[in-house]
Coordinates of all heavy atoms in Angstrom, one line a residue:
K918 N -17.0 5.7 8.5 CA -16.9 5.4 10.0 C -15.5 5.0 10.4 O -15.2 4.8 11.5 CB -17.9 4.4 10.4 CG -19.4 4.8 10.1 CD -20.3 3.7 10.6 CE -21.8 4.0 10.2 NZ -22.3 5.1 11.0
L919 N -14.7 4.7 9.3 CA -13.3 4.2 9.6 C -12.3 5.3 9.4 O -12.5 6.2 8.6 CB -13.0 3.0 8.7 CG -13.9 1.8 8.8 CD1 -13.6 0.8 7.6 CD2 -13.7 1.1 10.1
P920 N -11.1 5.2 10.0 CA -10.0 6.1 9.7 C -9.7 6.0 8.2 O -9.6 4.9 7.6 CB -8.8 5.6 10.5 CG -9.5 4.8 11.6 CD -10.7 4.2 11.1
K921 N -9.5 7.2 7.5 CA -9.4 7.2 6.1 C -8.3 6.3 5.5 O -8.5 5.6 4.6 CB -9.2 8.7 5.7 CG -9.3 8.9 4.2 CD -9.2 10.4 3.8 CE -9.4 10.6 2.4 NZ -9.3 12.0 2.0
E922 N -7.1 6.4 6.1 CA -6.0 5.7 5.7 C -6.2 4.2 5.8 O -5.9 3.4 4.9 CB -4.7 6.1 6.4 CG -3.4 5.5 5.8 CD -2.2 6.0 6.5 OE1 -2.2 7.0 7.2 OE2 -1.1 5.4 6.2
E923 N -6.7 3.8 7.0 CA -7.0 2.3 7.2 C -8.0 1.8 6.3 O -7.9 0.6 5.8 CB -7.4 2.1 8.7 CG -6.3 2.4 9.7 CD -6.7 2.1 11.1 OE1 -7.7 1.5 11.3 OE2 -5.9 2.4 12.0
A924 N -9.0 2.5 6.0 CA -10.1 2.1 5.0 C -9.5 1.9 3.7 O -9.7 0.9 3.0 CB -11.2 3.1 5.0
F925 N -8.6 2.8 3.3 CA -7.9 2.7 2.0 C -7.0 1.5 1.9 O -7.1 0.7 0.9 CB -7.1 4.0 1.7 CG -6.2 3.9 0.5 CD1 -6.8 4.1 -0.8 CD2 -4.9 3.6 0.6 CE1 -6.0 4.0 -1.9 CE2 -4.1 3.5 -0.5 CZ -4.6 3.7 -1.8
L926 N -6.2 1.2 2.9 CA -5.3 0.1 2.9 C -6.1 -1.2 3.0 O -5.7 -2.2 2.3 CB -4.4 0.2 4.2 CG -3.4 1.3 4.1 CD1 -2.6 1.4 5.5 CD2 -2.4 1.1 3.0
L927 N -7.2 -1.3 3.7 CA -8.0 -2.5 3.8 C -8.6 -2.8 2.4 O -8.6 -4.0 2.0 CB -9.1 -2.3 4.8 CG -9.9 -3.6 5.2 CD1 -9.0 -4.8 5.5 CD2 -10.9 -3.3 6.3
K928 N -9.1 -1.8 1.8 CA -9.7 -2.0 0.4 C -8.7 -2.5 -0.6 O -8.9 -3.4 -1.3 CB -10.3 -0.7 -0.1 CG -11.7 -0.4 0.3 CD -12.2 1.0 -0.1 CE -12.3 1.2 -1.5 NZ -12.8 2.5 -1.9
K929 N -7.5 -1.9 -0.5 CA -6.4 -2.3 -1.4 C -6.0 -3.7 -1.1 O -5.7 -4.5 -2.1 CB -5.2 -1.3 -1.2 CG -4.2 -1.5 -2.3 CD -3.3 -0.2 -2.4 CE -2.3 -0.3 -3.5 NZ -3.0 -0.3 -4.9
E930 N -5.9 -4.1 0.1 CA -5.5 -5.5 0.5 C -6.5 -6.5 -0.1 O -6.1 -7.5 -0.6 CB -5.5 -5.6 2.0 CG -5.1 -7.0 2.5 CD -5.2 -7.1 4.0 OE1 -5.3 -6.1 4.7 OE2 -5.3 -8.3 4.5
I931 N -7.8 -6.2 0.1 CA -8.8 -7.1 -0.4 C -8.8 -7.2 -1.9 O -8.9 -8.3 -2.5 CB -10.2 -6.7 0.1 CG1 -10.3 -6.9 1.6 CG2 -11.3 -7.5 -0.6 CD1 -11.6 -6.3 2.2
E932 N -8.6 -6.1 -2.6 CA -8.6 -6.0 -4.1 C -7.4 -6.9 -4.6 O -7.6 -7.7 -5.5 CB -8.4 -4.6 -4.6 CG -9.7 -3.8 -4.5 CD -9.4 -2.3 -4.9 OE1 -8.3 -2.0 -5.1 OE2 -10.4 -1.6 -4.9
E933 N -6.3 -6.8 -3.9 CA -5.1 -7.5 -4.4 C -5.3 -9.0 -4.2 O -5.0 -9.9 -5.0 CB -3.9 -7.1 -3.6 CG -3.4 -5.7 -4.1 CD -2.2 -5.1 -3.3 OE1 -1.8 -5.8 -2.3 OE2 -1.7 -4.0 -3.6
K934 N -5.9 -9.4 -3.0 CA -6.1 -10.8 -2.7 C -7.1 -11.4 -3.7 O -7.0 -12.5 -4.2 CB -6.6 -11.0 -1.3 CG -5.5 -10.9 -0.2 CD -6.1 -11.1 1.1 CE -5.0 -11.1 2.2 NZ -5.6 -11.3 3.6
A935 N -8.2 -10.6 -4.0 CA -9.3 -11.1 -4.9 C -8.7 -11.3 -6.3 O -9.0 -12.3 -6.9 CB -10.4 -10.1 -4.9
K936 N -7.9 -10.3 -6.7 CA -7.3 -10.4 -8.1 C -6.4 -11.6 -8.2 O -6.4 -12.3 -9.3 CB -6.6 -9.1 -8.4 CG -7.5 -7.9 -8.7 CD -6.7 -6.7 -9.0 CE -7.6 -5.5 -9.2 NZ -6.9 -4.2 -9.4
E937 N -5.7 -11.9 -7.2 CA -4.7 -13.0 -7.2 C -5.5 -14.3 -7.3 O -5.2 -15.2 -8.1 CB -3.9 -13.0 -5.9 CG -2.8 -14.1 -5.9 CD -2.0 -14.1 -4.6 OE1 -2.1 -13.2 -3.8 OE2 -1.2 -15.1 -4.4
I938 N -6.6 -14.5 -6.5 CA -7.4 -15.7 -6.5 C -8.1 -15.8 -7.9 O -8.1 -16.9 -8.5 CB -8.6 -15.6 -5.5 CG1 -8.0 -15.8 -4.1 CG2 -9.6 -16.7 -5.7 CD1 -8.9 -15.6 -3.0
L939 N -8.6 -14.8 -8.5 CA -9.3 -14.8 -9.8 C -8.3 -15.2 -10.9 O -8.6 -16.0 -11.8 CB -9.9 -13.5 -10.1 CG -11.2 -13.2 -9.2 CD1 -11.5 -11.7 -9.4 CD2 -12.3 -14.1 -9.6
E940 N -7.1 -14.7 -10.8 CA -6.1 -15.1 -11.8 C -5.7 -16.5 -11.7 O -5.5 -17.2 -12.7 CB -4.8 -14.2 -11.6 CG -3.8 -14.3 -12.8 CD -4.4 -14.2 -14.2 OE1 -5.3 -13.4 -14.4 OE2 -4.0 -15.0 -15.0
N941 N -5.5 -17.0 -10.4 CA -5.2 -18.5 -10.2 C -6.3 -19.4 -10.7 O -6.1 -20.4 -11.3 CB -5.0 -18.7 -8.7 CG -3.7 -18.1 -8.2 OD1 -2.8 -17.8 -9.0 ND2 -3.6 -17.9 -6.9
I942 N -7.6 -18.9 -10.5 CA -8.8 -19.7 -11.0 C -8.7 -19.7 -12.5 O -8.9 -20.8 -13.1 CB -10.1 -19.0 -10.5 CG1 -10.3 -19.2 -9.0 CG2 -11.3 -19.7 -11.2 CD1 -11.4 -18.3 -8.5
N943 N -8.4 -18.6 -13.1 CA -8.4 -18.5 -14.6 C -7.4 -19.5 -15.1 O -7.7 -20.2 -16.1 CB -8.0 -17.0 -15.0 CG -8.0 -16.8 -16.5 OD1 -9.0 -17.1 -17.1 ND2 -6.9 -16.4 -17.0
V944 N -6.2 -19.5 -14.6 CA -5.1 -20.4 -15.1 C -5.5 -21.8 -14.9 O -5.4 -22.7 -15.8 CB -3.8 -20.0 -14.4 CG1 -2.7 -21.1 -14.8 CG2 -3.3 -18.6 -14.8
S945 N -5.9 -22.2 -13.6 CA -6.3 -23.5 -13.3 C -7.4 -24.1 -14.1 O -7.3 -25.2 -14.7 CB -6.7 -23.6 -11.8 OG -5.7 -24.1 -11.0

């Protein structure tokens, strides 16, 4: 239901933020 490019960018943004949080949790 979303524009293809915007959906892709939104998914990538969330993936990057999630991975960053998880790595910070891992170290801490």
Side-chain angles (χ1 to χ4, degrees):
K918 300 178 185 293
L919 298 171
K921 191 173 181 180
E922 188 178 347
E923 291 186 9
F925 172 79
L926 291 172
L927 188 53
K928 274 173 67 177
K929 192 159 185 66
E930 180 188 343
I931 292 170
E932 283 175 358
E933 287 174 356
K934 285 182 178 179
K936 285 176 182 177
E937 186 181 351
I938 288 173
L939 290 167
E940 189 50 42
N941 290 339
I942 292 169
N943 182 58
V944 173
S945 260

